Amino acid sequence: MRRIALSGLLAATLASLPLAALAQDVTIDTAQGPVTLPAAPQSVAVYDMAALDTLTAMGVQPTGTIDNILVAPLRAAAADAAPVGTLFEPDLEALAGLAPDLVIVAGRSAPQLAAVSQVAPAIDMSLGTDLVAEARARIEGYGTLFDRQDRAAQMTAELDTKLAALRAAAEGRGTAMIVLTNGPKMSAYGKGSRFGWIFEASGLTEAVEGLDQSNHGQAISHEFIAEADPDWLLVVDRGAAIGADGAGATETLRSALVEGTTAWQQDQVILLDPAATYISAGGFGSLTATLDQLTAALTDGAQG
Amino acid sequence: MRLRPALSSALLALMLASLTVGAAQVDLRAVFRDPQAMLVLLESRLPRTLAVALTGAALSVAGVLIQALVRNRFVGPDTSGTAEGAALGLLAITILWPSSPLWLRMIAASLSAMVTTALFLAVIRRLPVREVMLVPIAGLVLSGVLGSVVTFVGWQTDLMQYVGTWLMSGEFSGVISGRYELLWIAALAAGLAWFSADRFAILGLGDQVATGLGLSTAAVMRLGLAVVSVVTAMVVTTVGMIPFVGLVVPNLVARVMGDNLRASLPVVGLAGAVLVLACDLLGRLVIRPYEIPAGVILGVLGAVLFLWLLHRRPAHG
């Protein structure tokens, strides 16, 4: 009897050894301020496409994520993850069944922080409008959390290279306007908006300054684009981002008025990848892909 | 009636103002010398002005018709399930056949608007005649139910933002030459109603009176239904639903002119055009060079007008 108890104690001690080694706490920055967590969580459920993007780039495979992933490159990366609801409605039962060590919410799923916290430890890794700086902070945070500082440093360096390339390509390339199309309607985005980081990162000047900083842009007309006459038109197709069909962004823009602008005349209309700029914006893969696309387009002056 | 010339000149003045107001700075007096000014005028200003006027006129006339069909003053195309029906048709065709041409989408929207409006008529026929307020309430309930179906399907298929462009905004910022012409069909349909104005006036007296006067109520009903549905479907697909126009304008005009539809229908059309044009102009001016949707401004103004209508004593007995 005593032997069994002793060996049991021994087994328990042995089993807890690796745990003790792992259970070192680290402190990382989140959207809600610094949070202290046990390092290197083994099982992670991710409710944000940008976080999923950065994590898979880092080599961390999530054990759970949302059902319907609209960003094609991420779909394959998360193929082995268990479905745990949607961005707006986490399936708490599925999440509890998965029992992850950590849940990551951000952006669209950020309001669900309290709900998912009931099931497992959760952090809010939302990105602000200073997208590049925030993305960099997140890479660093994930690197610390998952004990992959080397890979994180590598990713940050890659980001820096690509940012420098874009800045060089955009040097002296004139003014730009960011337009989001949604079916037949258009809105424009300025510095400080969700797409404003493009101006900061590239150094392109705004064709129209003082645009509203809200998330949804300002409703504009074809006349407005013609009057602003930007050298570059950066277009995000909201419909395509969410998988809607119908008239594409080019069809929405095409009119005698827009066709008269410098951007259209010189074939300097860049159709940004809607999924990368809208749904998983700020994720490592999306960010570098967008930077590459912009750099290539600005260098050739051709359709992106 | 002195209302007609007054409204006509107001409309003319507003249309001229609408031609000169926009995001682009061009001198329209130089239109024949400056090709850019001509381009702006023909591509943007004129189409937009016409689109707004046509929408206002057609929606108001549709409002008169649906009020005659249900013999109740407190309904409009936006509170009888018609707009939601049109959106449902659009949604269905978008999902089933994403690459469908525009004309097919229009037909789908019109048909589906017709079905839901017919459903509304069938529902209110079963209501007690004395309870005047039940009719608009039934309309609101039906709109709500259909709207939630649209929302559910849109949500499930990730088309919510797309649905929003039809049902929630009602703005003309996307209107340029080549993208509003369907509104002429709406105006044509509304114009068609004018030829049968007397019949609609008689229909408004009630089934028994109308039949006694030798009117085929079913045929007139069908015509009214078709006009209301086509007008609503065209407006919803081109610029999105505009609230309150079809409800408020017919009431205001009837307060002054009574129910002689042959005389009042043109006035209703004019008044609707003036109201929507004024709202769109305001939307273009307040945060120039950006825009506030005309539908938003009408939502506020229309609500105030509607409350005023409810609280004033009736003009005729």
Side-chain angles (χ1 to χ4, degrees), chain B residues 51 53-66 76-78 82-83 86 90 106 109-111 113-114 117 180 182-194 223-242 245-246 265:
Chain B
L54 290 176
T55 304
L59 271 183
S60 310
V61 170
V64 173
L65 294 195
I66 198 155
D78 48 337
T82 315
L90 268 175
M106 301 286 162
S110 302
L111 286 179
M114 224 173 279
T117 317
Y180 82 102
L182 287 151
L183 290 172
W184 284 106
I185 301 179
L188 216 65
L192 193 70
W194 190 58
L223 176 67
L225 201 61
V227 171
V228 171
S229 308
V230 166
V231 166
T232 312
M234 296 302 144
V235 170
V236 165
T237 30
T238 349
V239 292
M241 196 59 207
I242 305 205
V245 186
L265 262 188

Side-chain angles (χ1 to χ4, degrees), chain A residues 68 89 182-185 208-211 218-224 227 238 242 244-245 251-252 254-257, chain B residues 22-25 39-40 43-45 98 155 158-159 161-162 165 169 171 173-174 176 179 239 287 289-291:
Chain A
N68 182 16
E89 291 171 286
N182 185 24
K185 286 159 191 171
V208 179
E209 283 179 18
L211 281 168
Q218 296 266 23
I220 53 162
S221 54
H222 291 261
E223 268 183 40
F224 180 80
E227 181 71 14
R238 175 70 174 76
I242 53 168
D245 292 289
E251 281 320 299
T252 304
R254 188 188 299 278
S255 70
L257 286 167
Chain B
Q25 311 282 340
L39 187 72
V40 168
E43 282 292 318
S44 170
R45 300 282 169 84
W155 182 262
D158 276 323
L159 286 170
Q161 301 274 340
Y162 205 47
T165 62
S169 58
E171 66 172 284
S173 68
I176 46 166
R179 282 192 212 156
V239 292
I287 52 165
Y290 322 111
E291 309 200 356

